[in-house]
Amino acid sequence: MRFQVLGPLAASVPLPSAAQPRRLLAVLLARAGQFVGRDTLVDELWPDGAPSSAAAVVQVTVSKLRKTLSPGLGAAEAGQRLRSGPRGYALAVESGELDADDFLALLASGADDRAQRRRALERALACWRGDAFADVAGGPLLEAHKLWLQDRRSAALLQLVELELADGDGRSVVERLDPVVAARPADERFAARLAAALGAVGRREAALEVLRRTRRALWDETGVWPGADLVAVYRRIAGTEWTTPGPPAQLPPAVPDFTGRVAELAGVARALRGPAPVVLHGAAGAGKSALAVQAAWRARRRFPDGQLIASLRAPDGTPAEPAAVLAGFLRRLGATPAELADRTGLAGLWRGYTADRRLLVLFEDAVSEAQVRALLPSGPGCATLVTTRRELPGLCGARAIPVPELSTEDAWALLAAIAGEARLREEPEAAQRVLGHCAGLALAVRIAGIKLATRPKQRIGDLAARLADDRRRLDELTAGDLGVRAAVTSALRERSAAEVSLLRLLAAFGVPVPDWSAAALLDRPHGEARDRLDDLAAAHLLDPAGTRWALPPFVRLVLAESPADADEAALRRACEAALAHAEHARGRPAPKPDPALARRIAADPAGWAAEETGHLAAAVRIAGAHGWHELTERLADACTALAGTPWLGHAARAVSVLGLAAARRRRDPRAEAEKLHNLGVVHSQHGHRHRAQSCFVLAEQRYRALDDPRGTGAVLAALADVHLDGGDPRAAEAELREALGLLRECGDRRGQAAAAAQLGSLAEDVGDVRRAVESFEASMLLARDCDDGRGHDQAAKRYADVLRRHGGQDQAADLLTGALGGAVRTRERHWEAHVLRSLGDLHADAGEVADGQRFLTRSLALFEQIGHRHAAAYTHRSLAEARRRAGDPAGARRHLLLALDVFRELRDRRGAGYALLSLGRTQADTGDGAEAARLLRISAGLFRELGFPLWELRALRELDAVTGASPDRDRIREVLAKIRT
């Protein structure tokens, strides 16, 4: 019988085709004539884990093999090849039956004659038909035996080719080793002998290519350079030294505290697998170089012929000369002085040197496409990585990867890597403020980290406070030769004077500027202006957000440090354009804007107004600063009208003050009265009651002097709200009644409707429910004839609140449903939120707590979106009542404490009374009677001071339920005497 293992497993008898019997036979042949334990066989047959039936499977497999190898013989009969024993199983193999034994015997033959030794080695190698056990996958024992046989084969081959080289038979060596080295290019031993043989037969270039290929394989597979033997062969064949111990490796050290940028690193890694240039573009200080170097280090093993780096910008900021860059690269690749002498031929020489190499080339701070294009390596195995402050769209086939601002998580990680995670955790809020002032700019975060690391005793809060000052921030963000100011200034120097001038004009607004305003600044068509803006955005000096453009924070700060005379004509054009568009949105006569913009405004005037209020406010500020009084006043009016009520933006007060100042300079008392009224409304919406009262009083005086009943009535109605919140319902009622008379006199039905609704709310507050109902009915009749139905819906909402509290739930539901439809139709989110709160209260009162909480949650979300903290506090109070009814006193208390904080901050005693009443009820529900009584007494006292007997009664009844004290009952009787139902 004959067995063959030096190649696919074979025998002189047909073997089973199943994998398990063949594996078992291979293991037994690897230990021919020796017993192999059953446990060892299990491990070999199932190297990844054996099943519970493994022992039985082994027995069945052995039985099948016995029938194949010794047909007709029992397990214990004489002549049985596959024997069993207490130590396992053994396969009997006679001399001459196993090809591996023949191979080893030929290797061991000690022939002294060189020719005989060559023949013996040739016969030994002829025993091989492929890799040992080529078609059998085994466990650790079989795999180790395979490697041992392969090592013996390699040793035999090495001996044979050395004998052939010694005999001068280079052609035989080439024929023998060519396929071996092609399959195993990282094997230095065979590569050295093949290169020597190729050199011996006159094939010098082929020999050098073998050596270069082996050097690349060594670097790819093991990260090492060629050993001394291979270097010596290269020296002998090439007649020169191999360049350095290996190819040029110019990459600078990677930043040790590099963090984040996971997506960008993955994108660069993918892109570097092809020959197309990879362009990392981002703002000055964004961390492009650190990212590029990090990515290059990760990819360098794929480029065994070297990594080259060059800055494409000279120290003085001018672009680097391509010829100087190429000369430096070629010198490092081994070009001779004679080759480098011809400066005009450097580009061709570079293409030749890179055609067959695998190089990674890093160009930093590229200025233009043409500069990079002249330096690109030609070989398909090369890769190019470019960093630049602007996109390079003209670089054909380039893969552009933006380097954006750091995410919050990455910025924190970088700051922690430099300053220490533990230190940041001691002052996490201050650390977040520091990161906020760094605006995601990697350079700014790094400098802040360095400042903290070099000042271990400094509080992070101190640094955050200094960075909060715009005038000092650039000074603070400097450490050694690192500075945000220098980086941004360098980027601005690259732009033309006209581009910098445009940036200054955009910066004057202090808010994102829409396309149409930029077109007015440039006095150019919209498309041309958009092209100019796109160019600046491509240079990362503008941040695009749809149709709006904002200056990055540090660009704005650098421009502010070197103010230049503003182009007043351009700014005036932009302010006039803002006024024209605002008037168009208000439906007033004005020059028509760009047709596309006109269609957009006409389609959604309220939406356009909501988007542009901030820009209009900035235009008011610019007009006021330049003394354009009439324009300032008209812009302030338009801005206030479009912003609506309440206007809670940070610019509301500034716009109102500027409008008032412009009216006074123009000595227009009517306009002054209007502006005082507007300013009072703004103060009132922000909770500044005393300031609001002062403005309203002054406005009233102006209107009375003008004998203007409409204006006087409107201001008196506003004053009534202030007096009501201040606890003077009698003054409020007197003002409302006078306002109604004045508004009736001039026929202002809308104003009468609003004043009547106010009077209805006041009547309920003082306990006259019947008069409240009458006032609301009158208000709704008056509002019904108004144009848009808005007054009717608002009166209906307030009326519904009264009805809900006094048993009219069904009518209240109808009124609120209609009011909600009106608010949605007119897109008044503020009013929609108020109606949703009333609907939530209605459902909660009716026991439909889940529905109530759903409406109230939507109301709270809307108030928070528009920044109306005061109204949101009332919704928190309503949510607390719903949570209390749902049996969640902890949730109710949480909402009430949030509401109380706002009411106390804004000095809203009425709101505080409501919240304390609910908080007392909540404490009573939890069994804390003493605390409940304390809170309810405070609430009742507040309502008594405000003159709201109905609410005082509610608080006293809750108090009586908690304490049962007769003095409280006496007070209840007194309050009841004041209430008329």
Side-chain angles (χ1 to χ4, degrees):
M1 186 171 293
R2 179 74 174 166
F3 296 101
Q4 293 178 294
V5 299
L6 302 181
L9 179 62
S12 58
V13 295
L15 295 177
S17 60
Q20 293 292 52
R22 294 177 67 81
R23 284 187 179 184
L24 181 62
L25 177 60
V27 174
L28 295 174
L29 286 171
R31 292 291 182 268
Q34 302 175 29
F35 278 96
V36 181
R38 292 176 177 83
D39 290 343
T40 301
L41 289 174
V42 168
D43 291 341
E44 291 294 307
L45 295 180
W46 293 280
D48 296 326
S52 58
S53 59
V57 173
V58 169
Q59 288 180 340
V60 171
T61 304
V62 167
S63 176
K64 289 180 180 179
L65 273 179
R66 281 185 176 131
K67 292 177 182 178
T68 298
L69 300 176
S70 303
L73 294 178
E77 291 186 42
Q80 176 58 256
R81 282 185 174 272
L82 185 46
R83 294 170 291 163
S84 302
R87 292 176 295 158
Y89 302 98
L91 180 63
V93 178
E94 302 296 332
S95 177
E97 289 187 332
L98 182 61
D99 61 353
D101 290 344
D102 297 343
F103 167 69
L104 295 171
L106 287 166
L107 283 186
S109 60
D112 294 331
D113 181 78
R114 178 181 293 175
Q116 291 180 356
R117 183 61 181 158
R118 277 184 62 176
R119 285 194 294 274
L121 289 169
E122 287 171 350
R123 288 174 57 201
L125 292 169
C127 296
W128 287 77
R129 299 170 293 110
D131 292 337
F133 298 96
D135 59 346
V136 180
L141 186 151
L142 182 58
E143 292 301 317
H145 189 62
K146 288 182 183 181
L147 289 174
W148 182 77
L149 287 172
Q150 290 292 149
D151 284 344
R152 304 309 301 150
R153 181 188 187 187
S154 295
L157 180 58
L158 196 60
Q159 290 180 40
L160 179 58
V161 297
E162 285 178 344
L163 289 173
E164 289 174 338
L165 284 171
D167 292 340
D169 192 358
R171 293 187 182 280
S172 295
V173 174
V174 171
E175 292 174 4
R176 203 178 295 282
L177 290 186
D178 217 12
V180 174
V181 173
R184 297 159 58 185
D187 194 319
E188 290 187 77
R189 300 171 303 169
F190 293 122
R193 272 70 179 180
L194 176 58
L198 287 166
V201 298
R203 297 173 60 188
R204 178 177 178 274
E205 286 304 318
L208 293 176
E209 178 56 31
V210 166
L211 294 169
R212 284 194 290 266
R213 190 167 65 240
T214 299
R215 182 174 67 176
R216 286 196 295 268
L218 284 168
W219 184 251
D220 285 346
E221 295 179 19
T222 62
V224 300
W225 302 119
D229 289 347
L230 212 64
V231 171
V233 173
Y234 182 88
R235 185 189 304 117
R236 187 169 63 249
I237 294 173
T240 184
E241 291 291 336
W242 218 339
T243 53
T244 71
Q250 290 190 301
L251 292 180
V255 176
D257 47 27
F258 184 89
T259 56
R261 299 294 194 193
V262 175
E264 289 82 4
L265 282 170
V268 175
R270 288 191 298 269
L272 285 178
R273 295 186 180 278
V278 182
V279 178
L280 291 175
H281 60 91
K288 303 179 293 297
S289 293
L291 173 61
V293 171
Q294 188 75 20
W297 272 104
R298 296 187 180 195
R300 68 189 179 91
R301 288 193 176 182
R302 298 207 306 272
F303 303 97
D305 291 319
Q307 303 89 44
L308 298 167
I309 182 171
S311 174
L312 299 188
R313 192 186 303 273
D316 62 357
T318 58
E321 285 293 332
V325 175
L326 289 179
F329 282 174
L330 290 166
R331 190 177 298 111
R332 286 167 178 80
L333 291 176
T336 65
E339 289 175 316
L340 297 176
D342 180 12
R343 304 287 282 185
T344 59
L346 290 180
L349 189 63
W350 168 246
R351 288 193 291 271
Y353 263 80
T354 57
D356 297 318
R357 282 182 165 89
R358 293 169 64 188
L359 290 165
L360 174 60
V361 185
L362 172 57
F363 295 120
E364 289 200 283
D365 219 0
V367 177
S368 67
E369 292 93 336
Q371 186 188 36
V372 175
R373 198 179 294 122
L375 300 170
L376 292 175
S378 62
C382 297
T384 305
L385 187 56
V386 184
T387 69
T388 175
R389 293 173 183 165
R390 56 179 292 270
E391 297 179 32
L392 301 177
L395 202 57
C396 295
R399 298 286 301 277
I401 298 178
V403 183
E405 63 184 35
L406 291 171
S407 66
T408 303
E409 294 78 9
D410 285 354
W412 177 283
L414 177 57
L415 190 64
I418 301 170
E421 179 75 30
R423 189 169 178 193
L424 268 57
R425 292 298 175 194
E426 290 175 1
E427 298 180 71
E429 293 182 359
Q432 289 292 359
R433 291 199 303 275
V434 167
L435 294 177
H437 296 314
C438 291
L441 192 72
L443 178 60
V445 176
R446 176 168 296 284
I447 293 171
I450 292 170
K451 285 278 182 92
L452 293 174
T454 55
R455 300 171 186 174
K457 294 184 179 180
Q458 182 186 39
R459 292 181 65 254
I460 299 177
D462 293 340
L463 177 60
R466 291 203 302 275
L467 290 175
D469 186 346
D470 281 357
R471 295 165 299 179
R472 296 179 55 185
R473 192 175 310 159
L474 292 173
D475 291 329
E476 290 294 334
L477 291 176
T478 303
D481 62 352
L482 297 178
V484 172
R485 178 189 289 110
V488 176
T489 301
S490 174
L492 288 171
R493 285 200 193 104
E494 297 176 17
R495 314 313 302 176
S496 68
E499 289 174 317
V500 175
S501 175
L502 175 57
L503 290 172
R504 290 188 187 281
L505 290 171
L506 296 173
F509 285 87
V511 295
V513 176
D515 285 352
W516 54 263
S517 183
L521 287 169
L522 291 167
D523 199 19
R524 292 287 185 273
H526 179 273
E528 186 177 334
R530 179 72 188 229
D531 290 342
R532 296 274 294 276
L533 296 169
D534 282 334
D535 287 343
L536 289 169
H540 299 278
L541 294 171
L542 271 183
D543 291 331
T547 60
R548 311 180 76 77
W549 306 83
L551 267 74
F554 293 113
V555 174
R556 176 178 55 81
L557 291 177
V558 169
L559 289 173
E561 285 191 328
S562 54
D565 292 337
D567 184 346
E568 290 197 5
L571 290 173
R572 174 123 195 170
R573 282 196 305 270
C575 290
E576 289 172 346
L579 177 62
H581 297 340
E583 298 290 34
H584 189 71
R586 296 173 69 191
R588 295 191 170 193
K592 278 199 173 182
D594 175 82
L597 180 59
R599 288 193 296 272
R600 182 173 162 229
I601 294 174
D604 185 9
W608 183 87
E611 285 182 7
E612 302 297 353
T613 298
H615 181 73
L616 293 173
V620 175
R621 178 177 52 79
I622 291 172
H626 286 82
W628 304 325
H629 303 313
E630 182 180 359
L631 182 57
T632 302
E633 185 181 342
R634 294 181 64 194
L635 275 168
D637 288 344
C639 188
T640 303
L642 289 175
T645 301
W647 184 13
L648 298 164
H650 69 279
R653 180 179 175 278
V655 166
S656 300
V657 169
L658 286 167
L660 176 59
R664 283 176 172 168
R665 288 191 179 97
R666 291 179 55 246
R667 299 183 180 181
D668 184 341
R670 183 175 301 282
E672 184 180 345
E674 292 172 356
K675 304 303 183 296
L676 283 165
H677 188 182
N678 289 339
L679 185 56
V681 170
V682 170
H683 283 313
S684 177
Q685 293 294 345
H686 286 83
H688 303 143
R689 183 166 52 86
H690 294 299
R691 296 179 189 174
Q693 183 173 349
S694 298
C695 290
F696 290 145
V697 168
L698 290 172
E700 179 195 358
Q701 293 171 357
R702 303 297 190 277
Y703 279 126
R704 288 189 188 278
L706 291 166
D707 194 22
D708 183 342
R710 186 191 303 268
T712 306
V715 173
L716 285 171
L719 265 172
D721 275 341
V722 173
H723 283 128
L724 194 61
D725 287 341
D728 192 352
R730 291 183 180 178
E733 182 174 358
E735 286 159 349
L736 285 172
R737 291 196 177 281
E738 183 181 0
L740 276 170
L742 291 168
L743 294 168
R744 191 180 300 117
E745 174 188 329
C746 65
D748 184 351
R749 295 178 68 84
R750 186 190 299 276
Q752 291 177 71
Q758 286 178 262
L759 199 57
S761 295
L762 171 60
E764 193 216 4
D765 283 336
V766 300
D768 194 342
V769 178
R770 185 179 302 168
R771 187 157 56 90
V773 171
E774 292 171 355
S775 295
F776 278 116
E777 292 288 353
S779 172
M780 293 175 65
L781 284 171
L782 287 164
R784 187 166 295 162
D785 296 334
C786 297
D787 296 337
D788 56 8
R790 184 180 303 175
H792 180 274
D793 289 338
Q794 293 182 1
K797 184 268 178 192
R798 300 173 77 171
Y799 187 17
D801 288 338
V802 173
L803 291 169
R804 171 178 59 82
R805 288 191 285 265
H806 297 280
Q809 280 81 4
D810 291 342
Q811 187 180 355
D814 292 341
L815 290 172
L816 289 173
T817 302
L820 182 62
V824 171
R825 185 171 54 255
T826 58
R827 301 185 181 183
E828 290 183 282
R829 293 188 304 157
H830 162 254
W831 186 242
E832 180 184 351
H834 276 295
V835 178
L836 286 169
R837 183 174 67 212
S838 294
L839 278 167
D841 288 336
L842 178 68
H843 282 281
D845 289 348
E848 301 164 349
V849 178
D851 287 338
Q853 290 192 61
R854 181 166 54 84
F855 282 113
L856 291 169
T857 301
R858 285 173 55 196
S859 168
L860 181 62
L862 280 173
F863 280 135
E864 289 178 341
Q865 284 175 16
I866 61 179
H868 199 335
R869 293 175 61 237
H870 196 187
Y874 278 92
T875 304
H876 275 298
R877 185 255 176 185
S878 294
L879 270 168
E881 282 292 323
R883 291 287 171 88
R884 187 179 67 82
R885 289 188 174 95
D888 179 13
R893 181 177 173 80
R894 191 164 54 248
H895 281 291
L896 288 169
L897 292 177
L898 288 170
L900 266 174
D901 284 343
V902 176
F903 292 143
R904 286 168 175 161
E905 178 187 338
L906 299 180
R907 299 179 183 178
D908 180 356
R909 294 195 296 160
R910 185 199 323 212
Y914 295 154
L916 288 166
L917 173 59
S918 295
L919 196 55
R921 289 169 175 165
T922 303
Q923 293 301 114
D925 291 344
T926 61
D928 189 352
E931 179 64 9
R934 186 183 72 83
L935 294 168
L936 290 168
R937 283 194 180 95
I938 297 173
S939 175
L942 279 173
F943 289 132
R944 183 163 55 252
E945 292 172 9
L946 290 168
F948 296 165
L950 196 60
W951 284 100
E952 183 187 357
L953 176 63
R954 290 180 177 128
L956 289 171
R957 281 177 171 168
E958 295 287 347
L959 180 61
D960 183 55
V962 171
T963 64
S966 57
D968 294 326
R969 291 176 184 164
D970 293 341
R971 178 60 188 166
I972 289 172
R973 283 193 291 274
E974 291 177 27
V975 174
L976 280 170
K978 298 179 180 180
I979 296 175
R980 290 172 289 170
T981 57

